[in-house]
Amino acid sequence: MYLSDKPNYLLIQTLLDLLHQDLRLLIDPPDGTKEHPATTCLELWLSQPNFTNGMYYIDPNQGSPADALLVYCDFTAAPKTCLSPLQPQVPVKAWLKDSGTNNSFHWLSSKEKGFQFEYLGPDVVQMRFLRLNSRLTSQNITYSCQPGNIQGLGEREVKFLADTQRQSYLGTLQDCVPSEELHSGGRREAVFQFESEDLDLLPLRDLAVFGSSDLTQEFGFTVGPVCFS
């Protein structure tokens, strides 16, 4: 408790904060309602271990419950706090047909009917506290060919814009072709899985496909929830 001959006030305050949190959970455990939210889904699970997966209120900054968030709690394995995208479906269409003749990355948000990915609930403050109370974040995005098409042998690069707006994940997707062009069966969909201990990278905000107007195939994406654990 002491550094040299002076009290370690930072350590004392940390221990008192932890004790206060433990006492709160014992005396008045949260139940996931708007009036009585938990800090995260993990805290809710610790207080209510018989709860099942579903929608619950959390309040990461533990201030007034007026700004509590309605989130999906996944208790299947390690409890996760999940935020759903406002528009999960990026429609299936020929996204690059009007992109010009030069091969380059084209952000879908800059195209007709395109948009950046927004998520239900958190403001900047609540998101900051949710990250402070988490150690890992994850998210999936599903790439889909139009019905009647499957993924062929051709490949192209795709970039996924991180929440920092300065960094991107780089991946590879397979071009969609009519199913009769391949003798062996192929897949219509592929899932990109993202997981990071750098909590500032997720959720994803946009994606860019490499190509030009020569790419006339139709494809789309489904944006999954971002989960903190």
Side-chain angles (χ1 to χ4, degrees), residues 39-43 58 60 79-83 126-138 196-200 202 226-229:
T39 304
T40 63
C41 290
L42 173 59
E43 183 183 270
I58 66 165
K80 299 181 180 68
T81 301
C82 299
L83 308 174
Q126 290 285 40
M127 182 62 84
R128 184 184 304 126
F129 276 90
L130 179 57
R131 285 175 169 137
L132 286 172
N133 285 292
S134 305
R135 291 184 296 178
L136 189 69
T137 183
S138 59
S196 178
E197 293 181 351
D198 185 345
L199 303 182
D200 291 326
L202 298 177
V226 58
C227 295
F228 295 84
S229 58

Side-chain angles (χ1 to χ4, degrees), residues 58-205:
I58 66 165
D59 186 17
N61 67 7
Q62 281 299 296
S64 167
D67 63 349
L69 312 174
L70 185 62
V71 301
Y72 182 80
C73 289
D74 182 353
F75 301 128
T76 304
K80 299 181 180 68
T81 301
C82 299
L83 308 174
S84 298
L86 290 173
Q87 293 178 268
Q89 194 63 53
V90 179
V92 174
K93 58 175 285 190
W95 283 98
L96 300 190
K97 69 175 183 178
D98 299 320
S99 57
T101 57
N102 292 328
N103 280 312
S104 61
F105 280 102
H106 299 276
W107 294 101
L108 299 197
S109 62
S110 67
K111 301 298 179 182
E112 183 182 358
K113 296 184 179 180
F115 51 88
Q116 284 210 333
F117 310 145
E118 302 292 338
Y119 298 82
L120 290 170
D123 57 22
V124 174
V125 174
Q126 290 285 40
M127 182 62 84
R128 184 184 304 126
F129 276 90
L130 179 57
R131 285 175 169 137
L132 286 172
N133 285 292
S134 305
R135 291 184 296 178
L136 189 69
T137 183
S138 59
Q139 187 173 17
N140 290 349
I141 288 190
T142 303
Y143 162 68
S144 304
C145 298
Q146 66 174 324
N149 282 20
I150 58 175
Q151 296 176 59
L153 302 178
E155 295 183 343
R156 68 184 60 249
E157 291 183 321
V158 58
K159 290 199 293 188
F160 300 89
L161 184 64
D163 192 43
T164 61
Q165 305 280 339
R166 300 186 304 274
Q167 299 157 284
S168 296
Y169 291 94
L170 184 64
T172 302
L173 53 79
Q174 294 174 280
D175 289 340
C176 299
V177 298
S179 55
E180 59 268 17
E181 288 188 14
L182 292 181
H183 299 295
S184 58
R187 300 175 300 170
R188 249 195 85 217
E189 296 184 338
V191 179
F192 293 88
Q193 297 179 314
F194 305 88
E195 188 174 276
S196 178
E197 293 181 351
D198 185 345
L199 303 182
D200 291 326
L201 294 180
L202 298 177
L204 299 171
R205 294 296 181 178

